[in-house]
Amino acid sequence: MKNFFNKMGIWILAAAVVIVLTLSILSATGTGLLDNIAGTIASPFRSAGAAIGNWVGSISDKFDDVDTLQKENEELKKRIAELEAANRQAQTDSQENERLRNLLNLRQQRKDFTFESAKVTQYENSNWASTLTLNRGTSSGVAVNNCVVDEYGALVGVVTEVGLNWCTVATVLDTQAQFGATVFRTGEAAVAMGDLSLMSSGKVKLNYLSGTNPPVGGDLVLTSGLGGYFPSGLVIGSVEDVRTDDSGLTQYAVVQPNVRPESLVQVFVITAFDIVD
């Protein structure tokens, strides 16, 4: 037992010497070694931290890029909308200028007419009526029974109601509209009128044909001006075909008008004209 404790004492003494020597060496060399060991251990963690930081930074940059792209996209959409609006306005101005140029030609051809330009504010079309509302009325010299034409001089209809700054026009398709007419090729007199059975198809009835020299397809139909109620020489349309009425005794022609009321934007009211006997 005594030998055992002697041996243990020697080992303890040796261990103490090693510890003292190690501490002495560390004390002599400073903390560099400890720092090196700590740095070695921490290095992987620093690398991982840097990688995570870079990844988070790249994600943030991507979000910034997305925000920038969204803002640029909104700006582009706004700019496109502005350009489209400008283009629509330019087209509208161009079309109006074209109408006015055509009207100028019409004025030169029909110096016996006095025109009042008007905008279409409403179009009504049903099984019973085909009317336009215009933004001109008595303050502009418009009156009931004034004829209305497009810029080419084709008949649109006749004014049936009028207010201070508005009027209602029964189009050539409406049953209220009836005009003395003539077939240009033959000179035959007739009456052009709206008809309920033809209104839905956008056609006009040419009634009271004599039957001696019936019109044929393609014949031009004009206002006759007889009686002085309406101007003469306004184009109503072209004959599409000739039919026999239900009685089988008389004939009438179906006329395709030169105007499509639903497409009209600007029209011209004939407020005065020279009566031709």
Side-chain angles (χ1 to χ4, degrees):
M1 182 64 70
K2 183 177 180 180
N3 290 335
F4 173 75
F5 282 111
N6 287 337
K7 291 181 179 179
M8 286 297 295
I10 292 172
W11 283 109
I12 292 171
L13 180 59
V17 171
V18 170
I19 291 171
V20 170
L21 290 173
T22 301
L23 291 174
S24 298
I25 293 170
L26 291 174
S27 177
T29 59
T31 59
L33 181 60
L34 291 175
D35 290 342
N36 188 41
I37 294 171
T40 301
I41 294 172
S43 179
F45 295 99
R46 283 197 297 268
S47 298
I52 292 172
N54 292 334
W55 178 75
V56 172
S58 66
I59 294 297
S60 177
D61 290 341
K62 288 180 179 178
F63 278 118
D64 290 340
D65 291 341
V66 169
D67 288 340
T68 300
L69 288 173
Q70 286 178 339
K71 290 177 181 177
E72 290 178 352
N73 189 40
E74 290 300 322
E75 289 295 326
L76 287 173
K77 285 181 179 179
K78 182 179 178 181
R79 181 58 177 158
I80 289 171
E82 291 173 350
L83 290 173
E84 288 177 343
N87 184 52
R88 286 193 298 271
Q89 185 60 49
Q91 289 179 343
T92 299
D93 293 343
S94 176
Q95 290 168 355
E96 183 170 1
N97 289 337
E98 180 67 21
R99 285 193 293 269
L100 292 174
R101 282 194 295 270
N102 291 328
L103 176 62
L104 179 60
N105 292 332
L106 180 60
R107 286 183 193 276
Q108 293 171 346
Q109 295 170 10
R110 297 301 302 260
K111 294 181 180 180
D112 54 323
F113 290 173
T114 300
F115 294 99
E116 179 64 34
S117 175
K119 293 291 182 65
V120 177
T121 58
Q122 184 178 351
Y123 169 61
E124 181 182 350
N125 183 46
S126 67
N127 292 330
W128 310 103
S130 175
T131 62
L132 301 173
T133 301
L134 310 182
N135 67 343
R136 291 290 184 270
T138 55
S139 61
S140 301
V142 176
V144 171
N145 288 331
N146 284 168
C147 279
V148 179
V149 297
D150 68 3
E151 68 269 28
Y152 301 103
L155 183 64
V156 172
V158 61
V159 174
T160 55
E161 292 182 83
V162 63
L164 182 65
N165 58 358
W166 62 271
C167 67
T168 300
V169 176
T171 75
V172 291
L173 303 177
D174 194 280
T175 54
Q176 293 187 71
Q178 295 190 15
F179 304 92
T182 183
V183 179
F184 181 72
R185 181 179 60 84
T186 64
E188 182 175 8
V191 176
M193 61 179 66
D195 183 84
L196 287 177
S197 64
L198 298 174
M199 188 182 297
S200 61
S201 59
K203 306 295 195 305
V204 173
K205 188 175 186 179
L206 187 64
N207 216 352
Y208 305 116
L209 297 173
S210 66
T212 57
N213 190 8
V216 297
D219 273 347
L220 190 64
V221 179
L222 311 175
T223 56
S224 65
L226 295 177
Y229 291 106
F230 303 117
S232 62
L234 302 179
V235 177
I236 298 173
S238 300
V239 172
E240 190 173 83
D241 59 32
V242 177
R243 303 175 185 176
T244 302
D245 65 11
D246 293 339
S247 68
L249 300 175
T250 59
Q251 290 183 319
Y252 68 92
V254 176
V255 176
Q256 175 65 61
N258 268 35
V259 297
R260 294 172 55 241
E262 70 275 11
S263 67
L264 295 171
V265 175
Q266 185 176 18
V267 294
F268 305 92
V269 183
I270 302 173
T271 57
F273 62 94
D274 293 341
I275 296 176
V276 178
D277 294 330

